[in-house]
Every structure is written in structure tokens, then in C-alpha cells.
């Protein structure tokens, strides 16, 4: 875990930015010894956001399954994917 005082972002922006990119981990900034902000590079942030969205979608699907909602067969999903590809490429 990378922890820096908040003054470090003003004094050493490039160093902190490089640390974020190099480690793909957030840097935690403190103010008066207490946690204040979290800084991370855009690639790491976007990757985390995509993972959170996927987890939300998987959770929703699992909740539907637990409530008895029917899913789709592999053949049905394959057909839907083929149709979506055809529509997206203008062949549908």
C-alpha cells in the first residue's frame, strides 16, 4: 500500500503519477495524518470500473436465477450473438 502526505501531490506530482502507473495500485494521500484522498492512473481506474460493472451484472443475473427466472440455453445465446453481430455489421 502506497501512502503519502497530501503535500506530496503538489511537490512530487510526476513521481506519484509514475508510481501509480508503474504499480497499477492507488496511492493513498493523508492530511494531518488521516486518510483524505486516493489517486490512481486512468488505466487502473477504468479497469476497476469495468470489473465493478461486470460484478454488478453477474450479481443481478445470480439474483434472477435464485428468484426462479429462467435463463437462456447455449444455443439461444449463440443465436442472439449472431443476430447482434449481423445487426452491428449492417447485415441484419
Amino acid at each position: 500500500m502506497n501512502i503519502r502526505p497530501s503535500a506530496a501531490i503538489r511537490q512530487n506530482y510526476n513521481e506519484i503519477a509514475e508510481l501509480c502507473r508503474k504499480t497499477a495500485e492507488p496511492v493513498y494521500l493523508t492530511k494531518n495524518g488521516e486518510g483524505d484522498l486516493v489517486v490512481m492512473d486512468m488505466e487502473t481506474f477504468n479497469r476497476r470500473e469495468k470489473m465493478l460493472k461486470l460484478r454488478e451484472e453477474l450479481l443481478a443475473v445470480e439474483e434472477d436465477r435464485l428468484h426462479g427466472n429462467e435463463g437462456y440455453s447455449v444455443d439461444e445465446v449463440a443465436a442472439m450473438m449472431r443476430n447482434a453481430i449481423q445487426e452491428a455489421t449492417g447485415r441484419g
Side-chain angles (χ1 to χ4, degrees):
M1 182 183 308
N2 296 306
I3 302 173
R4 301 286 190 275
S6 61
I9 195 79
R10 290 186 300 271
Q11 298 166 354
N12 302 315
Y13 177 88
N14 290 334
E15 178 185 322
I16 291 176
E18 181 60 28
L19 180 63
C20 289
R21 284 189 286 274
K22 181 180 174 186
T23 64
E25 292 289 328
V27 173
Y28 299 88
L29 300 177
T30 62
K31 184 175 182 179
N32 299 323
E34 298 289 326
D36 188 41
L37 297 172
V38 177
V39 179
M40 66 179 64
D41 68 285
M42 292 299 293
E43 185 177 329
T44 301
F45 175 79
N46 288 333
R47 185 173 53 249
R48 286 179 184 233
E49 287 295 305
K50 287 177 184 177
M51 285 181 61
L52 284 173
K53 184 177 179 184
L54 177 60
R55 287 180 183 181
E56 287 175 7
E57 291 171 0
L58 290 171
L59 180 59
V61 168
E62 182 63 10
E63 287 174 349
D64 284 347
R65 188 189 67 78
L66 290 173
H67 288 102
N69 295 341
E70 290 188 29
Y72 298 98
S73 70
V74 172
D75 291 336
E76 289 171 323
V77 171
M80 287 188 288
M81 290 176 66
R82 280 192 298 276
N83 289 339
I85 291 169
Q86 288 174 349
E87 288 178 15
T89 60
R91 298 183 214 159

